[in-house]
Amino acid sequence: MSKALSICGRQIAPGSREIIEVPLPPLSTHSALHMPVHVIRGRREGPCLLVCAALHGDEINGIEIIRRLVGLSQLGRIRGTLIAIPIVNVYGFIHMSRYLPDRRDLNRSFPGSETGSLAGRLANLFMKEVVEKATYGIDLHTAAIHRDNFPQVRATLDDPETRRIAEAFHAPLVIDAALRPGTIREAAIEMNIPWLVYEAGEALRFDEVSIRAGVRGIVNVMREVGMLPKSRRKKTFVPRIVKSNFWMRAPQSGILRLTAALGASVSKGDTLGYVADPYGENEVHITAPDSGIIIGRTNLPLVHEGDAMIHLARFRDNASAGETVDAFQFELDPVEGSGLSGVEPIA
Ligand SMILES: [Zn+2]
């Protein structure tokens, strides 16, 4: 007998597929609000993978990742259950905002409580109705507004099962990331649910390479944990673990011209850009303090002193990390690449 699975009182039988509309507190106009939850349950027993996106309401790459994921024909033959939620922070999404209407960050409000703030109640509802059913989790994010992230997985690599799925995802870069209080990752780890955060692209934008890598990564994890058959396809690169990472901050306020692209391999002393006043006077060169790879950057050319400009990652072997980045970009290039698809690329 398979274990019963129910969300908001609705039973999902083995071999069935449902979209459950989880009711949320309505808008102040009293307009009803729901969070759609896809549940795809195989006939055979297996793990329960939760994939969620837009906990930050303006981080929309993950919504498209889930749209493509739930359309895959292989899902008709899965073992276990896939639960996929394209938009967790429905309130923020409506306003194209990271936050909730109470200005709280949902991903700093876990595990929440039934009697807490709107953010706390939403977090609590999500934990009870969804996260508690999962045996693995993947949370899809992008960089914050005006910033861009090179596709990367963040996870707690001390835990062997988490490390196994983090490597299986096969993003080019993996960060052994410290836990931030109040995140869903922290709450899930508290419940011993191996959890990955996939960070790729920019808020309020679609990025085809990030989306493709995300869909492929989730499928790779499903293969690793036995929900789908293993692939015999040869991998073209080895994921690299970041040794350390830090943000370079603007040395002065002004107009920023970055000359180094996201994903670029840089050597210590390389010029990465300039900050000057609007007339181009008082120009300060920005040079790489160390060798590494640019895994995040701002796309906004206006900075105040201290603003984050470039997220630089160091590796045990910077050259081989650079090879991984190149192989990944080549493979998933929407025009040249051979990796995946059948989907019309977003330009
Ligand atoms: Zn986010």
Side-chain angles (χ1 to χ4, degrees), residues 202-222:
E202 198 180 345
L204 295 177
R205 298 283 184 274
F206 277 155
D207 177 65
E208 180 64 24
V209 169
S210 299
I211 292 165
R212 287 180 176 209
V215 176
R216 191 170 73 165
I218 296 163
V219 170
N220 285 339
V221 170
M222 291 175 77

Side-chain angles (χ1 to χ4, degrees), residues 55-56 58-59 98 107 140-144 199:
L55 256 91
H56 292 137
D58 59 351
E59 299 183 7
R98 176 185 180 91
N107 206 25
L140 306 172
H141 286 255
T142 72
E199 279 277 358

Side-chain angles (χ1 to χ4, degrees), residues 71-93:
L72 294 175
S73 58
Q74 300 105 288
L75 297 187
R77 301 187 300 274
I78 59 166
R79 284 176 184 273
T81 306
L82 173 67
I83 302 179
I85 305 98
I87 308 166
V88 179
N89 180 358
V90 180
Y91 305 88
F93 176 76

